Amino acid sequence: MDHDGASELLGVYVLDACEEAEAAEVRAHVDTCDACSTEASRLREASGWLGASEPATPSAELRSRILGAAGQPYDDIDGS
Amino acid sequence: MEPESVFWERRLHRRLLEGEHPAFADLYDQFAAVVFGVALRVTANTQAAEDICQTVFLEVWEHPERFDPSKGAWRSWLATLAHHGGVDWVRREKAARLRNDAEAELGHERVPDVGEAVESVLMAEQTRLELSKLSDDERLPIRIAYFEGKTYRQVAQDLSLPEGTVKSRIRSGLHHMADALDSEVVGQET
């Protein structure tokens, strides 16, 4: 994929909105192109903030499960 | 120390690199609502969202070196990981056709969240505000692609637009969001 083709896909690429094969081609170009790498990082940071617009608190059980799976000392898991 | 200040973010990263368990609990408590929220919004499935949440946090616990604090914020990076997980799940399960039913169920689950961190609420309002400032032409394809986990080709079909138009509107909309967040959210953190 050439530079123009990859750069016009950068927005949809960072939103995970390309087909997998196409995303792989964009990724290969971004890895070798400073301009596209910089732009992709900037757009990815913006897209990441989209996630902040819809927070939802998971259950306390999930917290215990995840902290436990990471080997958290038992006394600390329910501490907060 | 102010959560999500640049200093806080980097210190948290250092603590995770050193394998400090309390740092992992801090990371979880600060960002679980964002990670779970993205996964739940994209998958519309509580079990899938919990599994994605676990995968994302344990990946960070096992590989904190994959985060680069010079390139962005924890919140954004974790949301990106959660989004990847959500999109993978949606496409794997071909769940798009079931979304209407699932969203009805989701409406009951996502009640207002009194236990949520104040920072998360403020950040959500800020991001919603930035999204609302975009024109409909840019906001709609971004929302459909991001929150429904669709490809740009599917978005183009949904909106009866040429694929090239969807690509360029999403790219320009994200640039506008990046500009706004540079000047407002990030400015508050530094």
Side-chain angles (χ1 to χ4, degrees), chain A residues 15-61:
Chain A
L15 286 191
D16 301 320
C18 292
E19 305 287 352
E20 188 47 47
E22 202 169 39
E25 288 188 53
V26 177
R27 193 177 304 119
H29 175 76
V30 166
D31 286 346
T32 60
C33 173
D34 287 345
C36 285
S37 175
T38 300
E39 182 175 347
S41 293
R42 179 172 170 74
L43 298 183
R44 191 183 298 287
E45 179 73 5
S47 77
W49 287 96
L50 288 168
S53 67
E54 304 272 346
T57 301
S59 66
E61 290 75 19

Side-chain angles (χ1 to χ4, degrees), chain B residues 34 44 56 60 75 78 86 89 99 114 119 126 143 168 170 187:
Chain B
V34 170
V56 166
V60 175
R75 177 177 293 270
L78 290 167
W89 186 88
R99 285 192 61 81
V114 292
E119 290 86 352
Q126 182 68 44
R143 284 199 65 92
S168 64
I170 286 178

Side-chain angles (χ1 to χ4, degrees), chain B residues 129-141:
Chain B
L129 182 64
E130 301 307 343
L131 203 51
S132 72
K133 288 179 185 169
L134 298 180
S135 68
D136 285 344
D137 283 351
E138 291 177 341
R139 182 173 56 244
L140 207 51

Side-chain angles (χ1 to χ4, degrees), chain A residues 7-9 15-18 22 39 42 45 48-49 51-57 63 65-66 70-72 80, chain B residues 21 29 33 36-38 54 61 72-73 75-76 79 83-84 91 110 113 124 127-128 151-152 167 171 175 179 182:
Chain A
S7 65
E8 74 175 18
L9 282 166
L15 286 191
D16 301 320
C18 292
E22 202 169 39
E39 182 175 347
R42 179 172 170 74
E45 179 73 5
W49 287 96
S53 67
E54 304 272 346
T57 301
R63 183 181 189 277
R65 194 204 319 165
I66 292 176
Q72 191 87 352
S80 66
Chain B
H21 282 103
D29 290 338
F36 183 69
V38 171
Q54 175 158 347
W61 172 243
R75 177 177 293 270
S76 174
H83 191 256
H84 280 312
R91 293 185 188 164
R110 295 179 64 255
D113 212 339
T127 312
R128 275 195 289 267
T151 67
Y152 71 88
K167 286 190 277 190
R171 186 183 178 195
H175 270 294
D179 291 344
D182 273 352

